Amino acid sequence: MPLTTGLRPGAALAVRCAGVLLIVAVLAIALHGVGLAGPASLDSLFSGWLYYAAEVGAATLVLTRALAVPRERLAWLLLAVGIAGFTAGDIYHAVALEHTTHSPFPSPSDAGYLLLYPCAFGMLMRLAGSHVRHLHKSIWLDGAICGLAIAALGSALVLEPVIHSTHGSFAAVATNLAYPLGDVALIMLVICVFAVTGWRPGGTWVLIAAGFSLMAVADSVYMFRIAEGTWQTGTTLDALWPAGLTMLGFAAWAEPREETEVLPSRLSMLLLPGLFSALALFLLIRADFVHLPLIPELLAAGALLIARWRFVITFTDMLALSEHREQQASTDELTGLHNRRQFYAQLGASVEGCEARGGSFALLMIDLDHFKELNDTLGHYAGDLLLRQIGPRMQGVLREGATIARLGGDEFGLILRDGEAATAVAVAERIHQALLSPFSLKEVTVAVHASIGIALFPRDAEDGDVLLQRADVAMYKAKENRSRYAFYEAGSDPNSRERLGLAAELKDALAHGGLVVHYQPQMRLDRDSVSAIEALVRWQHPQRGLIEAEDFMTLVEHTGVMRELTTLVLEQALGQQRSWRARGHDLTLAVNISAQSLLEDTFVDDLKSQLARAQTPPRRLRLEITESILISEGERVRTVIEALAELGVELSLDDFGTGYSPLTYLTEMPVSELKIDGSFTAAMMHDRPTSIIIAGTVSLAKQLGLALVAEGVETPEQLTRLREIGCPFAQGYLLCRPMSAQQLDRWLAAGATFEVQHQETPAEPLPGLTRAQQASAPLFARMPARATFAPAPALLHRLAR
């Protein structure tokens, strides 16, 4: 009895003891019925006193539940009244009617017996209402089909002998019929509840069903024996009534089923309603050959009518679902615009139509500027609010016949039936003006700019996919030029096929040692000594020479080999660090790590294994993460960062000052070092506010106990200024350029002297991949500042002024 856990210890013990005594009493009555618990002379004890005591105990158990536990109190109070009435009827019959020659029928005891039925109905309805909510009507109909079919079967088996054996007044006939009809109705209602709960009703309802079923069986057998004239007390049948009431008492104290939304299982939706419908049909067919009373025929007919109704509802729901899915298949859920699938269908239809009649159309690719920064700063919820408003805003400036769709993220496609360049320009301008009006995102308002690429059919391409690709190229051209729109120009993306070939070459280079790690020392300014070594990946291309990381990181991301690249760099760098230690150079190794790598499930475990193989103390490895990672993936990487700190690996915040990260990150995250972005170092000599910012950052780092490295040191004047403001560490081409592992070994052996180094021979740039375009993929190399709504350096400048 799980509910007793909420009672006082004494009350809980009393309830449990009452339950045990009830079970003992029922077993004793049953054993006496088969001659295993006393002779027939003790019938009055077992079928009398003990029988009535069990009934009183069951009523008391249910009443105690109603009074002690507030939940569903009314339901159980109704059942307690019903059981008490049933018990009172039994006791009255034993005291006043059992030994009389002519007992009145119906009698007051029948009133007590029959009181159980309306009270039980009330209890069942209250429980069903509290446990089963928000159900689809088809589930209720399934329950009605099953209940009516069971009721039809039960009434067919019981009513006929009862009707034949019933004589006398109308009251006598009605009373005799009330018992089997009440039992059948109770079972029917319980079966309905079983059906609507997906045939997973929980312990309470199972015990209720068992209790009413036992009493229904006892009533039916009793009526048959009365009709045959074979009824006598002292049999096992005597145990069924108190056993049923005991089940109801236990049901009152069973842990109820959790109130959850009920989803119909396949069994309840298909098999069981079908079986019960077949049962009802069988009874009606059998009625043509064997006489059945009117009531079971009506119940069976009702089950079939409801089954037909259920079929109609199912068919209607399937049609509605089909229409809904068809609409979903062509509509973007967030904006209500066409989705990518529908857009491609419309694009194909436009191409076919123009080919057939010789016309033209314009394709516009629209991409919101700095949408990612808005998501990172205000949250994805704000981004969704913006996208919901943008769809209607753009639709409002389009004329009939234009097709606009959301292709994904913040990218939209627009098909204009008019293929004139002037028309496309006019639409692009209207869209630009429409987006300039501020959008309300609850607590803030924002103005949005968009970059629009335009491609014309058939001038720019005669195939829909190629046309879409060229509109995309034009859109990126508009972004580069910071213009509102741009047309596709032949030759503006001539190297796309070559880039695809380079992607294949990159995988081959990764597998066969074409990617190597170079190293750039960091200088401790107060001693002019080396403080750490940063690992930087390079691609040794057989034709193009040595390619820097920022020129192929986009290919790394697009080809999905970031994990393999991270593993390769760590393996090479940690192996090299081990050789330094063997030569007496106990130097810290710094390695840049991308967000994609940090979010790998196995990153920390893999790093542990790599450190163990290289026999590297974790404190001698420093992982550099960018501010942008903290902005966009802060909560997701927090656990990983804390695990790395617990491991003992140091963490450095790279490109500090180029993003939106709040200063609270410096106290919340276990960061041990800050790296000032090279854009600040370059600007501090001619921009006083920048110089003040760097000096303030040096002071802030000292107060927080953090190391500080100034990147991008390229002139003696910059180095002198950094010394003056107390910057402890520096890194840049003036001090030492990146070197191969062999060059670094010679440099360390020669005393690790910092001096102006000759510049690395630059590799031929990858076709079509400018560094500006690849700024969003930082790894193992310095990262240019990302575009933001209000760039952090500009914001800091305003504060400094």
Side-chain angles (χ1 to χ4, degrees):
M1 294 185 181
L3 283 183
T4 57
T5 54
L7 302 179
R8 294 180 179 178
L13 179 61
V15 170
R16 293 191 180 94
C17 290
V20 172
L21 291 176
L22 277 176
I23 294 175
V24 171
V26 171
L27 288 175
I29 296 171
L31 292 174
H32 175 72
V34 296
L36 297 179
S41 59
L42 295 178
D43 283 354
S44 60
L45 173 62
F46 286 95
S47 299
W49 293 105
L50 194 59
Y51 179 95
Y52 304 133
E55 291 184 325
V56 171
T60 304
L61 196 62
V62 177
L63 180 62
T64 304
R65 158 61 170 91
L67 298 178
V69 182
R71 184 177 182 181
E72 298 161 348
R73 174 170 289 165
L74 180 58
W76 297 111
L77 190 59
L78 284 171
L79 182 62
V81 172
I83 296 177
F86 188 92
T87 304
D90 258 340
I91 294 175
Y92 178 82
H93 184 273
V95 172
L97 303 178
E98 188 173 0
H99 301 291
T100 59
T101 305
H102 299 287
S103 300
F105 186 77
S107 68
S109 61
D110 290 301
Y113 295 142
L114 294 176
L115 179 62
L116 176 63
Y117 293 109
C119 291
F121 273 110
M123 180 270 292
L124 292 175
M125 295 303 294
R126 291 288 301 183
L127 288 184
S130 63
H131 288 302
V132 184
R133 296 174 179 171
H134 311 298
L135 292 175
H136 190 271
K137 54 188 173 183
S138 63
I139 304 178
W140 285 109
L141 293 178
D142 286 344
I145 293 169
C146 300
L148 287 173
I150 289 292
L153 177 63
S155 59
L157 296 175
V158 177
L159 280 182
E160 187 72 16
V162 172
I163 292 173
H164 282 295
S165 64
T166 300
H167 305 284
S169 65
F170 174 80
V173 173
T175 300
N176 263 346
L177 292 177
Y179 289 106
L181 290 177
D183 290 332
V184 167
L186 287 177
I187 298 300
M188 180 180 71
L189 183 55
V190 172
I191 291 295
C192 286
V193 173
F194 271 50
V196 299
T197 57
W199 303 99
R200 298 184 299 273
T204 299
W205 283 100
V206 170
L207 289 171
I208 289 173
F212 286 135
S213 297
L214 284 175
M215 297 188 69
V217 170
D219 287 342
S220 300
V221 174
Y222 173 76
M223 290 176 188
F224 276 115
R225 291 187 178 178
I226 288 293
E228 295 172 352
T230 59
W231 162 253
Q232 62 179 2
T233 60
T235 65
T236 307
L237 183 63
D238 291 342
L240 294 185
W241 284 286
L245 296 177
T246 298
M247 290 289 185
L248 296 177
F250 284 177
W253 287 96
E255 187 67 39
R257 184 177 181 271
E258 290 295 324
E259 296 181 17
T260 57
E261 183 178 357
V262 178
L263 298 177
S265 65
R266 291 182 178 179
L267 187 66
S268 65
M269 289 181 64
L270 300 174
L271 181 59
L272 289 177
L275 289 176
F276 283 110
S277 298
L279 173 61
L281 180 61
F282 169 76
L283 291 175
L284 289 179
I285 294 175
R286 190 172 183 275
D288 291 336
F289 303 96
V290 179
H291 172 70
L292 282 181
L294 178 62
I295 292 177
E297 287 193 27
L298 291 176
L299 292 173
L304 290 179
L305 287 175
I306 294 177
R308 182 178 181 279
W309 186 13
R310 172 71 165 87
F311 174 78
V312 171
I313 290 177
T314 302
F315 184 74
T316 305
D317 287 346
M318 289 178 64
L319 289 179
L321 179 61
S322 177
E323 293 175 359
H324 180 65
R325 286 182 174 176
E326 185 176 350
Q327 182 181 4
Q328 278 189 322
S330 62
T331 304
D332 175 64
E333 182 179 1
L334 184 62
T335 63
L337 302 175
H338 291 310
N339 60 12
R340 178 185 290 270
R341 177 181 177 183
Q342 181 67 12
F343 181 79
Y344 278 121
Q346 293 289 333
L347 180 59
S350 298
V351 170
E352 292 177 3
C354 289
E355 287 176 344
R357 65 176 183 268
S360 64
F361 68 91
L363 177 61
L364 280 66
M365 287 290 293
I366 306 163
D367 188 85
L368 304 183
D369 296 336
H370 311 315
F371 181 76
K372 186 179 186 304
E373 282 78 7
L374 181 142
N375 261 340
D376 295 340
T377 307
L378 302 180
H380 290 279
Y381 177 71
D384 288 346
L385 284 179
L386 176 61
L387 291 174
R388 288 193 186 99
Q389 298 175 55
I390 277 181
R393 185 80 65 88
M394 288 196 293
Q395 278 183 316
V397 299
L398 300 179
R399 293 172 182 168
E400 187 177 353
T403 299
I404 185 168
R406 182 187 177 211
L407 304 182
D410 61 327
E411 195 171 64
F412 299 84
L414 173 60
I415 300 173
L416 296 178
R417 304 305 178 195
D418 187 346
E420 295 293 331
T423 303
V425 169
V427 171
E429 290 287 1
R430 288 204 302 269
I431 291 174
H432 174 72
Q433 292 300 323
L435 297 182
L436 285 181
S437 299
F439 291 86
S440 176
L441 307 181
K442 290 203 170 179
E443 297 180 356
V444 298
T445 58
V446 296
V448 177
H449 298 267
S451 300
I452 302 176
I454 306 172
L456 303 178
F457 178 91
R459 188 192 75 179
D460 297 325
E462 297 182 358
D463 176 82
D465 291 336
V466 176
L467 189 70
L468 186 65
Q469 183 263 338
R470 290 181 174 175
D472 194 60
V473 170
M475 182 266 292
Y476 278 106
K477 179 184 174 184
K479 279 190 180 294
E480 266 186 58
N481 298 337
R482 297 186 179 181
S483 59
R484 294 191 291 274
Y485 61 87
F487 281 90
Y488 174 77
E489 295 178 0
S492 60
D493 189 30
N495 300 303
S496 57
R497 290 187 179 180
E498 191 171 358
R499 282 209 308 272
L500 292 176
L502 285 169
E505 290 182 24
L506 175 63
K507 291 184 178 180
D508 186 69
L510 188 60
H512 298 94
L515 296 179
V516 296
V517 179
H518 281 207
Y519 303 90
Q520 185 176 34
Q522 296 173 356
M523 178 182 183
R524 181 168 178 172
L525 297 183
D526 61 347
R527 299 180 184 177
D528 289 350
S529 61
V530 60
S531 61
I533 305 290
E534 181 176 3
L536 302 166
V537 70
R538 299 287 186 263
W539 182 1
Q540 188 65 58
H541 195 279
Q543 285 80 39
R544 302 179 183 280
L546 196 65
I547 303 174
E548 295 187 9
E550 63 182 20
D551 287 329
F552 65 85
M553 275 302 113
T554 300
L555 290 177
V556 171
E557 290 189 336
H558 288 174
T559 52
V561 293
M562 185 68 76
R563 180 177 182 178
E564 291 80 358
L565 181 61
T566 302
T567 301
L568 180 145
V569 171
L570 285 170
E571 289 287 355
Q572 285 194 27
L574 289 172
Q576 187 63 34
Q577 186 188 33
R578 183 177 181 179
S579 70
W580 301 336
R581 291 199 310 275
R583 296 183 179 90
H585 304 293
D586 192 14
L587 298 172
T588 296
L589 174 68
V591 179
N592 285 267
I593 297 295
S594 69
Q596 188 175 340
S597 298
L598 281 178
L599 294 175
E600 287 280 353
D601 294 337
T602 60
F603 176 74
V604 176
D605 292 334
D606 291 345
L607 182 62
K608 288 180 182 178
S609 300
Q610 290 174 312
L611 289 171
R613 285 195 299 271
Q615 299 178 2
T616 298
R619 62 184 176 81
R620 284 305 185 190
L621 176 63
R622 181 182 303 142
L623 299 182
E624 297 186 3
I625 59 176
T626 62
E627 273 193 302
S628 59
I629 293 178
L630 297 184
I631 296 171
S632 60
E633 307 290 352
E635 292 303 318
R636 298 176 65 195
V637 302
R638 182 185 294 271
T639 303
V640 180
I641 290 175
E642 291 175 351
L644 291 171
E646 185 176 347
L647 179 62
V649 174
E650 293 189 353
L651 294 171
S652 174
L653 189 58
D654 200 7
D655 300 331
F656 183 71
T658 63
Y660 271 119
S661 59
L663 294 180
T664 53
Y665 275 126
L666 301 182
T667 58
E668 293 177 355
M669 296 289 191
V671 175
S672 60
E673 179 188 82
L674 304 179
K675 298 190 76 175
I676 296 177
D677 187 70
S679 61
F680 283 84
T681 306
M684 71 175 178
M685 300 307 299
H686 57 80
D687 188 77
R688 184 172 177 273
T690 302
S691 180
I692 295 173
I693 290 170
I694 293 180
T697 305
V698 170
S699 176
L700 174 67
K702 288 180 179 179
Q703 293 293 326
L704 294 176
L706 303 176
L708 184 72
V709 180
E711 292 186 292
V713 179
E714 298 184 355
T715 67
E717 292 78 14
Q718 292 171 353
L719 183 62
T720 300
R721 179 59 181 151
L722 290 172
R723 292 182 190 276
E724 290 174 351
I725 62 178
C727 182
F729 303 100
Q731 178 180 346
Y733 284 0
L734 175 72
L735 306 174
C736 192
R737 295 180 179 274
M739 297 176 281
S740 66
Q742 295 77 14
Q743 290 171 328
L744 181 65
D745 286 342
R746 291 194 294 270
W747 182 77
L748 292 173
T753 303
F754 286 99
E755 59 185 28
V756 177
Q757 303 290 313
H758 294 292
Q759 186 174 0
E760 275 185 313
T761 303
E764 181 184 343
L766 294 183
L769 293 178
T770 65
R771 295 188 183 186
Q773 289 175 325
Q774 300 176 68
S776 61
L779 179 69
F780 312 128
R782 293 194 315 277
M783 174 186 121
R786 293 191 179 206
T788 57
F789 285 96
L795 178 62
L796 293 174
H797 288 176
R798 289 198 296 271
L799 292 175
R801 289 189 174 98

